[in-house]
Amino acid sequence: MSDEREARLEKLAALRAEGIDPYPARSHRTHIAAETLANFDSLQGEHITLTGRLMLLREMGKSVFAHIEDGSARIQIYFKRDTLGDEAFRRIKLLDLGDFLEVTGTLFTTRTGEKTLAVERYELLSKSLTPLPAKGAGGDLKLFDPETRHRKRYLDLLANREVEFPIFQARAKILASMRDFLNGRGFIEVETPILQPLYGGASARPFVTHHNTLDRDFYLRIAPELYLKRLIVGGFERVYEIGRSFRNEGMDREHNPEFSTMEFYQAYADFEEVMRQVEQMHAHIIQAVCGSLQISYLGMELDMTPPFQRMTLHDAIAEYAGIDYEAYPERDALAEAMRAKGHTVDPKLGRGKLIDNLKDSITRGRDPKIRGPVFLYDYPFDISPLAKRKPGEPNTTERFQLFAGGLEMGNAFSELNDPLDQRIRFEDQARQRVGGDAETQLLDEDYIEALEVGMPPTGGWGGGIEKLTMLLTNQETIREVILFPALRNQQD
């Protein structure tokens, strides 16, 4: 036990010995700090009650200056022995930085011009037993260690408030403006199962859990897609879901095993209509959050004004990676061409996944060859098991992805609604799984039965909330935009 924590425990015991509850159940705030500072002149002469965490304490003989901070702002308060009385003034010595206080009094301006509350009565609302993070050179709290920041986010929010609060306020604004856009276009927000008897809707490995009463395994969903399309079958024409998905895969600057997505599905639309919806939606969100469609991400200047650039996947890879994959219809020939260009080739991956790796080499990372925003479209059918084939091109699907600033922002296609073709695609995925690819789709008989009832032509989109938040708050890693990211065990 640290000496400082021991000292705080002694103060806690002293307060209780004097009959003071250090954790009372009620508080009686009348104003918040930001409101008080904004309306300072009109509030002078009124008795107001503020609450907040004690962030600074300066004793000056018969008076004490302090700062308290609530969720809106920080404000100075002033204790004077003649006003409080000897006993209440003495008990200030039992307070520590980090304690929550309720203070009642009137406002005044100090000789240095600082807006201040003259405290006539105060109450301890919660005693802090652990010291706050250390102060930086400027006297403010600072917490620089990334491991501690992510593992103990509550300390990070206290110490780096000016950085962290805007990120998560922006994230909330992204979600609000996203809902505003979709609701305004006739989409209905729905919820689908997170615990699923069979996972699907993406190429990923799942987390497995067990339900005791039913005595069966379930999977944490890797995507809501197949359930949302069941709703299209059932008669909903425009649906969307914002929620958590889970993938049991590696972690890097863009990936966390638990993450948030938004997926929408629109009946009687194809992937070109979805492109238009997606670029308009992003422009709506970016304008609402950033106030401009010209943004900067990791030193890259991006103009997010629609229409976004459009390139076929083939043309983009040919131009920026120097490989015409159509010239290599066989997997091994493409692999050899990639090795000749310096690419590492995984022997377990099929031709489609190798093309996908080429795509990643030009669109992802801190210095992408294509900065975007750009829609890459027309993807190989063997890595697009849920997308319609392009008319006249049986090996190509009507699928696109959006990239901006080295981030993949989302994935979309004209949804496959032919149940017989869908079964063939699922069976092909099973063969790829036997070949060693553990992230292929499983055959979902119930979903095929739903398609046999009949699904109209449909376009769908799925995009990551964290990626969009990274882009709009200029954050390099996904950990910075998730309040509680997944981490290794501390001893590791």
Side-chain angles (χ1 to χ4, degrees), residues 11-12 15-16 20-27 52 54 91 94-96 98-103 121-128:
K11 292 178 181 180
L12 180 73
L15 287 164
R16 283 182 164 147
I20 294 171
D21 181 0
Y23 303 102
R26 303 282 184 272
S27 62
L54 186 61
R91 280 196 294 270
L94 299 178
L95 301 179
D96 291 292
D99 290 353
F100 281 90
L101 300 181
E102 176 181 288
V103 290
R121 184 177 67 256
Y122 74 91
E123 182 178 3
L124 177 64
L125 295 179
S126 180
K127 184 68 180 165
S128 171

Side-chain angles (χ1 to χ4, degrees), residues 50-113:
L50 304 176
T51 59
R53 188 188 289 273
L54 186 61
M55 304 299 289
L56 180 144
L57 196 64
R58 289 197 313 267
E59 297 185 30
M60 304 175 67
K62 297 181 179 181
S63 62
V64 174
F65 282 95
H67 287 171
I68 60 171
E69 184 175 274
D70 64 14
S72 67
R74 182 180 294 196
I75 190 170
Q76 180 165 275
I77 59 176
Y78 175 64
F79 300 101
K80 189 175 180 182
R81 188 169 72 180
D82 291 348
T83 302
L84 292 174
D86 291 341
E87 284 302 305
F89 190 78
R90 177 187 59 79
R91 280 196 294 270
I92 292 174
K93 292 185 178 295
L94 299 178
L95 301 179
D96 291 292
L97 298 186
D99 290 353
F100 281 90
L101 300 181
E102 176 181 288
V103 290
T104 300
T106 57
L107 298 170
F108 75 103
T109 304
T110 65
R111 281 178 291 184
T112 60

Side-chain angles (χ1 to χ4, degrees), residues 300 361-372 404-407:
M300 294 175 271
S361 74
I362 62 175
T363 58
R364 308 282 282 274
R366 294 171 176 83
D367 188 23
K369 294 179 180 179
I370 305 179
R371 293 188 171 184
L407 298 172

Side-chain angles (χ1 to χ4, degrees), residues 409-470:
M409 306 306 297
N411 184 38
F413 22 87
S414 299
E415 304 295 336
L416 179 60
N417 61 344
D418 178 343
L420 303 182
D421 190 5
Q422 183 65 81
R423 180 179 292 279
I424 293 170
R425 304 278 194 96
F426 280 152
E427 291 171 348
D428 179 65
Q429 291 283 292
R431 286 189 288 272
Q432 294 183 46
R433 177 176 290 272
V434 171
D437 188 347
E439 296 187 349
T440 56
Q441 304 258 342
L442 298 182
L443 195 156
D444 188 334
E445 290 285 359
D446 183 77
Y447 176 67
I448 292 174
E449 286 182 22
L451 291 185
E452 289 183 349
V453 173
M455 185 174 83
T458 298
W461 159 264
I465 303 302
E466 284 83 11
K467 301 280 186 66
L468 186 52
T469 307
M470 287 169 64

